Amino acid sequence: MNYKAVIIGGSAGSFQVVTRILNSLPKDFPLPIMLCLHRLKHVRSGFVEALSLKSSIPVEEPFDKDSMKPGKAYLAPANYHMYVELANRIALSTEDTVNHSRPSIDLSFITAANAYRDKLIGIILSGANKDGALGLKKVRDNGGVAIVQDPNECEVKTMTQSALQLTSVDYVYTTDQIINYLQKLR
Amino acid sequence: MMVSDQDYQLFLYALKNSSKYDFSEYSEKSLKRRILKVLTDHSLTMTALISKIKNDTAFVEKMVKEITVNTTELFRDPQVWQTIRHTILPRFKNNSVINIWHAGCSTGQEVYSMLIMLSELGMLEKARVYATDINTDVMDAARLGEYKYRFNLAYLDNFDKVIKENPYNYEEYNDVPYDKYFTLDKANDTIKMLPFLREKPVFKKHDLVTENNTLYVKFDLILCRNVIIYFNYNLQCKVFDLFHQSLYDTGCLIMGMHETILGAPAAKFQKKGHAYFKN
């Protein structure tokens, strides 16, 4: 295994995609998965339960300084930024919103890219703003794998198109191809 | 743009040696981001920043205020406040005095949340409320008790959930008018806490990193929410020790929704719902 973690960012239109991905992973998926997904301001709870329903791996909203384990998904809690510290630890922050977002996908991706460098797989999904583009560039610049959901398949294309405008990527994949790629990680 | 590890160490060293502040055990990722913000906002290079830290004490005070994170809300995470109202405060109902410490109170929204709740429970009279922060500017704002209304529409929703509704009894509804506690000025876009609330708390500058309990009081309740996430593990342990020593045996600590006690200090507390009781 060449990788240490997967990070997925998404906004409007990404919930179904994330659900399908989590549903299709093997129970013994070998990496931790970080999920940084925007949600509506008033939807502060229930999100993790909704994602857990169909997921084949456990999904949790981490506590500050929790260490990440393979085969688990960590969802950025509502109203916190989620960073990756060295040694697989998660750090949370209530700093101001970045590009009107908290959690900020850029911040999660940038800190993950710094912690895991070329051992990180970053995936940007459907969304209605440009958050995540800078973060995916950082993943790519640090030698990690950059994947973007095929904009033609996205419910809202803005986020994936912004990423593609800002950085070269390794793959532009449909949801099925993303799932196939992740299933092959051994 | 990034703050390199070397620059980061030089920054910490300069601050520790030329001021009373020590950020060396702050959580690295967010501190680096805050440093970067200071550099950008003041158009400074790292070399220039470090030289200012060594020579300009007024700048250091200003910078510390800019570096610390001050996000807070009225009744942030209503479910936590519902727990405080219905299961935690009632424990102290028969005390002749209840001592409460808001550690890292920022602009004071949580202090007022507590005061409003104490008032609703008829416990305001016997409460002694202390609020501390490292940043005196935010405490000035807390004393003023005036907040932007439009950006905080959730405040009123939260107020309704915690003060008017009862999650344990859906039939109960307390129609408490907002103006019992604050005035809403829509023209000027502000919420202003009433004087009887503003006059209640004791505000005092306090640095959790370098100071012991300088309030010289023991507490029934300590609220320290979304503060320790900015500290590393060592510093967290130290702060938990301070809180443990500062609590009465029946006292409890309440932290942010996604904060927890890890490692050795965990044995000193027992977690019940959203609260950590002293063991």
Side-chain angles (χ1 to χ4, degrees):
Chain A
M1 170 60 63
N2 291 317
Y3 303 106
K4 286 189 173 161
V6 178
I7 185 163
I8 298 176
S11 182
S14 68
F15 181 78
Q16 294 301 332
V17 183
V18 174
T19 305
R20 277 193 57 205
I21 293 173
L22 292 176
N23 182 25
S24 312
L25 294 175
K27 282 189 166 41
D28 58 347
F29 187 71
L31 302 173
I33 299 181
M34 279 159 281
L35 302 169
C36 190
L37 308 172
H38 297 160
R39 39 186 143 182
L40 296 171
K41 267 216 167 68
H42 59 275
V43 186
R44 290 207 178 171
S45 53
F47 202 54
V48 72
E49 289 81 0
L51 283 174
S52 298
L53 274 179
K54 291 186 178 168
S55 175
S56 49
I57 63 171
V59 185
E60 61 182 54
E61 290 182 319
F63 285 94
D64 181 56
K65 310 279 187 292
D66 269 353
S67 55
M68 289 187 282
K69 302 197 169 54
K72 270 193 165 188
Y74 299 88
L75 174 68
N79 238 342
Y80 284 92
H81 293 303
M82 182 170 79
Y83 300 138
V84 183
E85 299 263 3
L86 293 175
N88 263 333
R89 278 187 196 279
I90 283 172
L92 301 176
S93 150
T94 59
E95 282 166 87
D96 289 341
T97 56
V98 177
N99 295 323
H100 308 289
S101 300
R102 189 172 60 208
S104 148
I105 301 173
D106 279 339
L107 285 184
S108 288
F109 271 57
I110 290 168
T111 56
N114 286 328
Y116 298 118
R117 308 203 65 87
D118 60 342
K119 310 277 192 250
L120 179 69
I121 298 162
I123 306 174
I124 292 290
L125 305 175
S126 173
N129 58 31
K130 65 180 176 60
D131 192 15
L134 196 64
L136 194 70
K137 181 176 191 305
K138 186 75 188 173
V139 172
R140 171 89 177 168
D141 289 349
N142 281 6
V145 178
I147 300 175
V148 166
Q149 186 188 3
D150 187 343
N152 293 318
E153 193 202 55
C154 291
E155 202 172 293
V156 188
K157 299 180 203 298
T158 319
M159 192 174 271
T160 48
Q161 281 177 339
S162 306
L164 288 169
Q165 272 165 21
L166 191 72
T167 177
S168 58
V169 300
D170 295 278
Y171 307 107
V172 177
Y173 274 169
T174 62
T175 308
D176 287 331
Q177 287 172 314
I178 293 171
I179 288 169
N180 190 34
Y181 175 86
L182 292 175
Q183 283 173 339
K184 281 189 184 147
L185 294 171
R186 283 289 145 187
Chain B
M1 202 166 65
M2 289 287 296
V3 175
S4 75
D5 287 332
Q6 193 190 340
D7 281 350
Y8 182 65
Q9 295 305 332
L10 289 171
F11 170 90
L12 295 174
Y13 186 79
L15 191 63
K16 193 170 176 173
N17 279 283
S18 354
S19 78
K20 58 181 182 291
Y21 299 106
D22 180 5
F23 283 6
S24 56
E25 295 200 291
Y26 271 52
S27 191
E28 186 177 323
K29 282 286 189 296
S30 50
L31 181 54
K32 277 186 174 171
R33 267 179 45 70
R34 305 300 286 183
I35 295 170
L36 199 57
K37 190 171 180 309
V38 169
L39 290 173
T40 314
D41 290 354
H42 296 271
S43 308
L44 289 172
T45 62
M46 192 50 124
T47 318
L49 176 65
I50 287 170
S51 137
K52 266 177 118 57
I53 290 172
K54 288 178 181 161
N55 302 308
D56 187 344
T57 39
F59 178 82
V60 169
E61 289 299 321
K62 196 165 155 223
M63 182 193 71
V64 165
K65 287 167 183 169
E66 290 171 18
I67 277 181
T68 48
V69 176
N70 299 306
T71 341
T72 177
E73 287 171 34
L74 208 60
F75 299 109
R76 183 186 167 103
D77 307 316
Q79 64 271 49
V80 175
W81 289 94
Q82 287 168 340
T83 308
I84 296 173
R85 174 174 186 171
H86 293 282
T87 71
I88 296 174
L89 286 176
R91 287 167 175 262
F92 307 109
K93 187 107 192 165
N94 296 324
N95 288 24
S96 53
V97 175
I98 167 169
N99 288 342
I100 301 174
W101 179 13
H102 294 267
C105 67
S106 187
T107 43
Q109 281 89 327
E110 295 212 333
V111 182
Y112 290 106
S113 307
M114 180 59 80
L115 294 170
I116 290 170
M117 193 173 290
L118 288 165
S119 165
E120 282 301 303
L121 294 174
M123 296 169 74
L124 190 61
E125 287 289 305
K126 62 180 173 189
R128 293 193 197 134
V129 178
Y130 298 81
T132 63
D133 204 284
I134 189 176
N135 180 341
T136 49
D137 285 3
V138 293
M139 274 196 297
D140 287 343
R143 278 191 196 95
L144 198 60
E146 187 174 293
Y147 304 107
K148 280 283 171 201
Y149 164 67
R150 182 170 302 153
F151 297 110
N152 296 310
L153 272 177
Y155 282 9
L156 300 187
D157 281 351
N158 291 353
F159 181 96
D160 292 352
K161 278 190 191 127
V162 178
I163 299 298
K164 298 188 181 182
E165 297 163 17
N166 179 355
Y168 305 95
N169 178 4
Y170 287 102
E171 288 176 4
E172 183 182 324
Y173 186 83
N174 307 300
D175 198 7
V176 180
Y178 300 129
D179 62 11
K180 185 174 172 189
Y181 296 111
F182 45 83
T183 51
L184 280 176
D185 181 346
K186 290 192 177 162
N188 292 310
D189 193 30
T190 54
I191 283 179
K192 174 111 184 168
M193 295 298 158
L194 294 187
F196 80 100
L197 296 179
R198 283 188 274 126
E199 287 155 7
K200 181 80 188 173
V202 175
F203 291 98
K204 191 170 184 232
K205 186 180 177 179
H206 180 263
D207 182 356
L208 284 169
V209 180
T210 56
E211 291 181 86
N212 291 322
N213 180 351
T214 52
L215 300 164
Y216 306 107
V217 181
K218 281 209 169 198
F219 295 94
D220 298 289
L221 208 53
I222 298 177
L223 282 90
C224 182
R225 305 192 65 214
N226 298 310
V227 174
I228 60 145
I229 49 177
Y230 301 105
F231 300 162
N232 73 11
Y233 175 70
N234 283 339
L235 184 51
Q236 288 190 354
C237 291
K238 206 178 126 192
V239 173
F240 291 136
D241 274 347
L242 168 66
F243 288 158
H244 191 264
Q245 287 160 18
S246 307
L247 282 170
Y248 285 119
D249 287 347
T250 51
C252 88
L253 166 67
I254 294 169
M255 297 193 294
M257 277 287 278
H258 288 272
E259 292 175 319
T260 185
I261 304 180
L262 292 173
K268 296 180 170 183
F269 294 90
Q270 192 184 1
K271 191 175 185 195
K272 284 185 197 158
H274 296 295
Y276 286 87
F277 285 86
K278 186 165 169 170
N279 256 349

